[in-house]
Each structure stands twice: as C-alpha cells, then as structure tokens.
C-alpha cells in the first residue's frame, strides 16, 4: 500500500464516492468574469465532501501561460488534506526527461498521482513508478474516438494474438511491484473496461468518458467498479463544472456531483 | 509545403546543417551561477549559423516552475528569424485537450513544430496536424532502452505481421495530407531508422540519441539522411550544451556543434 493508494481508499470510503471531478477550466464555459483559481476553489469547496479525488488536466492551464500554471499550483494547494489530486498530464519521455516531469508534477506542483503514456516503455515510466508514495495511471484504452487506431491493433505476444491495450494492461501489472500503478480506461468502451477490470481486479482504474463524452454510468460501474469501492475513480469534468454558468455555478456543480455519486452507489447496491 | 517545412529546408540549406541543438537546461551541468535564459541565449548566439533548428524539451522548464516557463518563452523569442524551433513536448491527449496543448505550444510559446505521442490516435493529433503552417513529429521508434517494450511488438495489419513502430510510421504517412508530419526515430536503433527512412523518404525525421545516448553519427547519416539535406534533424543536447561548464561554455558548444555539422556533411559527400 502506498500513500496515494491509502489516501484514495480513505477518501473514497469517507465520502462514499467514486467521483473524480476533472478540473478543466474553459473560459468559454465558465461564468463570466471569474478567474481560474477562484473558479476551481469554489468548485472544490462545493464538492470536497462528495468526491474521492480531483484531476486537473495540464493542457487547460498551460494554454493560459504562467497565470494558468500559478492557478494550477494554487488549486492543488487548496484541496483539503485527505483528498488526493491526480495530474492528468499524460507524460511519456526518456529517462532523464521523465525524471524532470515527475519532479515537476510531484515536487513543484505537489500532486499525489499522475497519468502517463506507455508508448516509450518502462524506463519512461520508472521515475513515476519509483516514487512509491505516489500513483501513476498508465493510459490503456482511452475514451476518445481515435483510441482504436493503435490501442486495438492485434499484437502477438508468446504466440497469442490480443489487442495492444490488453498487452499494455498486462505489462503494467507486471511492473506493479509497489502496488502504485493504475490504468486509464475510458467509459466509452464498456466491453474493454470489463475485460481489463476482470483481468486486473486489484489495479486502480481511472475512468474518463462519462457525461459529455457519452459513456454510460450504470454500465461503467457494473463493468469497472471494485468491490470495496476504494480504487475506482470515475471522472466527470464538463458535466459537473459547467452545470450552470451563472452565479449559482458552485451550487449547481454540487448538485450534479451529488447526483453522480448517488447514481454510482445505487448501481453498486 | 508548409511554413515549418519551408523554414526547416531554408535553414538547413543556408547553414549547410542537419544539426539540431536540444536546449535542455540542467543546473547540475550548467556553468555555476548562470540563469536558464542567459545560458540558452549564449548557446543560441554561439551556434545559430551552424544549425537547422533548436529543440527545447518542456520537462526541463516545467521542473523549474514558472521561472522555467518564462525562460522557455524568452528562449523561443530570441532564436533568430529563419531558424525553426521544435517543442519537444511529446503530448497526446483527447480532442479538446489536445487543442489546448496545441494552442499552448504554437500560440502562447510561439513554436514552429512539436513532438507528439501516437498512442491516442488520430483525433489526439488532429489539432496539431490541422495547423498547416506548423510541423508535428510523431513518436515512432524512440531512442531509449524501453522503446522495445511496446514499439517493437508484432502487430497484424491486413494479414501482415510487422512491428508496431512501422505501423505507426505508415499510418502517420497516410495522415500526412498537408505534408507537415514528421517522425521521431532514435539514432540508437540504426536498422529501424533505415527501414523507416526507406519506407518514407519524403517525411522529415527528427533523430535524437546521438552522443550521450550512444547513437553512431556516421550510421545515422547513412541510414536516415534525406538526399537534399532539407528535412533531416539530428539532435544533440548534452554533447553540445555541456562541452564545457566553465566561462568558455558557449565557445566550447560552438566547437562541438561545428564538429558535428562537419562530420555529418563529410559522411553525406
């Protein structure tokens, strides 16, 4: 058990929640006149008793330059103790560069976990994996339309032919000596989610694709949720953040978050 | 022909060079007491008549927080007109997020091209590809030891079994309707470089792995250089940047850069 894994289990249990709020600020959808940090802070204050974690995606902050990255750092710092925060950065680079990324994410920004791309192989992930107190979610079957372009290609390993994403999942499982590796599997591919969860029931799953992307919540829970409810992270970004773009945006976000949490728990019963 | 491709061809021709200097600042290797921007500026001033482009890797700047990203933006801005600059960011995310990354790289920082990861498929690359005036180098066969973990898996496409990286190259070739897609292929895998260049002689290649990583320059040029010398980008970072960590670091970098340029041209003759 690692610190991130423990923290995720504790927050999931305390808040009875598999909901992860994706903190992806988009000025076109946010209430007019509000700053990114101010927006995130209000969302966090309105939802922190209802979630198992938060997940800002770096892209939305980088696109705003240094102001965005300032807001990101302040956002991570204002999340209540006990609620983990995942950096959705999807990094993947060679050894010394991967170490610099891990340092940026864990040390400079203070995240508890990160997403990472498998394409460059073990040494690109090692600097993340070796941070035993942190978590790393390896991209496996992503939620987008183009996911099939490479992830579903038929790969032959040990004489057996299987889709690439299954080989990625199995390989990540073999690398998981510290128990801090999870997988990213999109809710938009329920059959693939079922296969991966069945093959790796002990690995945490980060599941994007609910809501705006079209993934079905009930099927997602049935196919991907762990029994104890301590390592399944079901993300919603736009559906919660932009429930309203009026002055009631935080209250509206809380309402959507509560609805999602309870809908998940209703399926689990 | 796109603006980036034209700019790369013009700089390569004018400077008679396939050398790309990788601007990866590492305080442990830099002369003591110098700032990142000051260091980069001196390196650029000492080498800009000898290179076809520059390539900062985001990781080294992100690890320094906002000061690092300030230095990165100033670095891109101080590169002389006519010399392109590639963002080594290896991004790969779903549609709306990929658009945010492309905006950060091309609009906020002002890069001419970027590296990107193929794992998420076409829609993750589309926001880069659709910027017809910009270039995108898709990771194909990377220079690191772990590259083989997934990139060399045997994939079956149309009944034919081939390594994943070859399928990535072919697919990138099919996506290349604007002629602005290139491939990243490590110098540390000369046979794979030869195969890819032979199959896609018109696609620009970004070739890391020379020098500190152990790739052989002569074999790299023989196996990967285009005939006209207008679309081959051979990167060296540490070998040039840290030729000296004394006050003569810029002059030492120039000397190494000149040596590399001339060694490449000697093989080409």
């Amino acid at each position: 058990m690692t610190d991130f894994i423990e923290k995720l289990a504790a927050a999931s249990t305390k808040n009875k929640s598999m909901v992860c709020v994706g903190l992806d600020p988009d000025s076109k959808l946010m209430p007019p006149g509000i700053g990114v940090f101010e927006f995130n802070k209000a969302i966090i204050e309105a939802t922190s008793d209802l979630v198992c974690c938060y997940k800002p995606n770096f892209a939305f902050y980088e696109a705003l330059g240094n102001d965005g990255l300032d807001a990101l750092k302040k956002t991570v710092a204002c999340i209540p103790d006990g609620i983990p925060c995942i950096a959705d950065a999807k990094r993947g680079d060679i050894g010394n560069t991967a170490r610099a990324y891990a340092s940026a994410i864990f040390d400079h920004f203070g995240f508890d976990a990160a997403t990472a791309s498998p394409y460059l192989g073990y040494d690109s992930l090692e600097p993340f994996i070796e941070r035993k107190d942190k978590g790393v979610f390896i991209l496996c079957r992503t939620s987008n339309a183009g996911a099939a372009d490479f992830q579903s290609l038929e790969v032959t390993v040990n004489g057996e032919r299987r889709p690439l994403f299954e080989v990625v999942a199995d390989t990540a499982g073999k690398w998981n000596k510290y128990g801090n590796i999870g997988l990213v599997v999109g809710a938009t591919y329920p059959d693939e989610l079922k296969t991966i969860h069945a093959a790796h029931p002990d690995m945490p799953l980060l599941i994007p694709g609910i809501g705006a992307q079209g993934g079905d919540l009930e099927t997602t829970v049935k196919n991907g949720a762990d029994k104890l409810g301590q390592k399944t992270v079901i993300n919603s970004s736009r559906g919660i953040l932009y429930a309203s773009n009026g002055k009631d945006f935080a209250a509206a976000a809380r309402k959507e978050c509560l609805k999602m949490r309870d809908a998940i728990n209703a399926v689990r019963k």
Side-chain angles (χ1 to χ4, degrees), chain A:
Chain A
M1 291 277 278
T2 67
D3 290 353
F4 165 69
I5 298 294
E6 283 172 9
K7 203 170 167 180
L8 177 64
S12 303
T13 304
K14 186 179 169 206
N15 291 344
K16 299 182 181 61
S17 181
M18 292 183 171
V19 176
C20 171
V21 175
L23 297 170
D24 300 346
D26 182 337
S27 60
K28 292 190 291 294
L29 302 171
M30 280 158 58
I34 194 169
V36 166
F37 172 64
E38 195 189 343
F39 176 76
N40 284 348
K41 187 165 178 281
I43 295 285
I44 291 165
E45 284 172 357
T47 57
S48 69
D49 60 327
L50 303 175
V51 303
C52 65
C53 66
Y54 291 98
K55 181 181 74 65
N57 188 307
F58 266 62
F60 295 95
Y61 300 87
E62 286 185 9
L64 303 172
N66 280 3
D67 291 347
L69 293 162
D70 273 337
L72 177 58
K73 194 169 178 179
K74 285 167 73 180
T75 297
V76 178
C78 91
I79 293 171
D81 284 347
I83 308 286
C85 192
I86 303 170
D88 197 358
K90 301 187 177 64
R91 297 300 190 245
D93 211 313
I94 67 168
N96 66 326
T97 316
R99 269 193 298 281
Y101 275 132
S103 169
I105 288 171
F106 297 138
D107 303 322
H108 175 71
F109 285 104
F111 282 98
D112 300 292
T115 58
S117 175
Y119 193 68
L120 273 76
Y122 184 73
D123 57 353
S124 71
L125 299 162
E126 191 175 21
F128 293 89
I129 295 168
E130 289 295 327
R131 296 288 292 259
K132 302 175 197 176
D133 58 327
K134 305 292 185 180
V136 50
F137 287 92
I138 297 176
L139 302 179
C140 177
R141 184 64 159 93
T142 56
S143 59
N144 60 317
D149 288 338
F150 300 115
Q151 294 165 25
S152 294
L153 290 174
E154 292 286 321
V155 172
T156 303
V157 177
N158 299 330
E160 211 188 338
R161 209 197 269 189
R162 308 169 59 208
L164 175 60
F165 71 85
E166 288 188 27
V167 177
V168 168
D170 290 357
T171 308
K174 282 180 200 143
W175 291 339
N176 197 17
K177 57 185 169 180
Y178 303 128
N180 61 341
I181 300 179
L183 300 167
V184 178
V185 185
T188 40
Y189 299 103
D191 294 341
E192 288 85 340
L193 175 62
K194 192 174 183 177
T195 303
I196 291 165
H197 180 54
H200 304 281
D202 293 332
M203 289 180 86
L205 295 184
L206 169 57
I207 308 174
I210 288 291
Q213 292 183 57
D216 178 67
L217 189 62
E218 189 175 335
T219 316
T220 299
V221 176
K222 283 183 179 161
N223 290 5
D226 70 300
K227 276 185 192 152
L228 296 176
Q230 296 185 334
K231 47 181 71 171
T232 307
V233 176
I234 304 178
N235 185 74
S236 173
S237 300
R238 285 166 273 182
I240 291 175
L241 297 184
Y242 308 118
S244 161
N245 73 343
K247 283 187 179 164
D248 64 336
F249 73 95
R254 178 175 177 82
K255 200 173 147 190
E256 282 303 313
C257 189
L258 187 62
K259 199 162 87 181
M260 182 172 161
R261 183 191 73 159
D262 292 349
I264 291 170
N265 290 338
V267 181
R268 291 184 61 218
K269 267 175 198 159

